[in-house]
Amino acid sequence: MTAGVRGHTVWQSNVGERVSYFVIVGETPDELYAGYRQLTGSTPLPPKAAFGYIQSKARYESQQQVLAVADGYRARGYPLDIMVVDWFSWTRMGQLDINPADFPDP
C-alpha cells in the first residue's frame, strides 16, 4: 500500500514555514517503539526502588512518626521501598530543607 495521492504524501503547515514532521512506521508495536527510540534515544530504567511501593501521606509530623510507620510495614512483612516526607516538613514554605527540630537525623 502506498500512502497519499499518486504515491506521494504531502505534509503542509499553515502556521509556519519550517515545521519538522517525523513519521514512524512499523508492522508491530516493537517496530514503532524502535523507530521512536531512534529519534529520542534509549530511556534508562529508573532505580529498582521506583518499581516498589511508595508510601506517602499528607504529613508526617516527626522523624519518629516516619520510623514508626516503616517499622509497622516491616513487622507485617509488607514491602516498602520509598517513604515521602513532603513539603509540610520544611522549615518554612518554599525553603527546601527539613525542620531539624522535627527531623533531627533524616
Side-chain angles (χ1 to χ4, degrees), residues 75-98:
R76 292 179 194 88
Y78 295 157
L80 177 62
D81 294 287
I82 296 174
M83 291 190 70
V84 177
V85 176
D86 67 6
W87 56 276
F88 280 118
S89 305
W90 296 348
T91 53
R92 57 183 243 254
M93 188 55 65
Q95 188 72 30
L96 301 177
D97 63 352
I98 296 175

Side-chain angles (χ1 to χ4, degrees), residues 43-52 82:
T43 303
L45 285 175
K48 186 178 177 184
F51 292 103
I82 296 174

Side-chain angles (χ1 to χ4, degrees), residues 28-106:
T28 66
D30 285 341
E31 290 177 5
L32 294 173
Y33 285 123
Y36 184 76
R37 192 169 42 252
Q38 279 187 311
L39 291 173
T40 63
S42 295
T43 303
L45 285 175
K48 186 178 177 184
F51 292 103
Y53 182 69
I54 300 173
Q55 168 64 35
S56 179
K57 68 177 231 165
R59 181 171 189 224
Y60 290 108
E61 294 183 12
S62 67
Q63 181 175 333
Q64 290 74 27
Q65 187 181 37
V66 172
L67 293 173
V69 170
D71 288 342
Y73 275 87
R74 181 164 287 175
R76 292 179 194 88
Y78 295 157
L80 177 62
D81 294 287
I82 296 174
M83 291 190 70
V84 177
V85 176
D86 67 6
W87 56 276
F88 280 118
S89 305
W90 296 348
T91 53
R92 57 183 243 254
M93 188 55 65
Q95 188 72 30
L96 301 177
D97 63 352
I98 296 175
N99 189 344
D102 299 325
F103 295 86
D105 187 20

Side-chain angles (χ1 to χ4, degrees), residues 17-37:
E17 294 180 19
R18 297 189 55 116
V19 177
S20 297
Y21 294 96
F22 297 93
V23 179
I24 302 169
V25 296
E27 297 291 324
T28 66
D30 285 341
E31 290 177 5
L32 294 173
Y33 285 123
Y36 184 76
R37 192 169 42 252

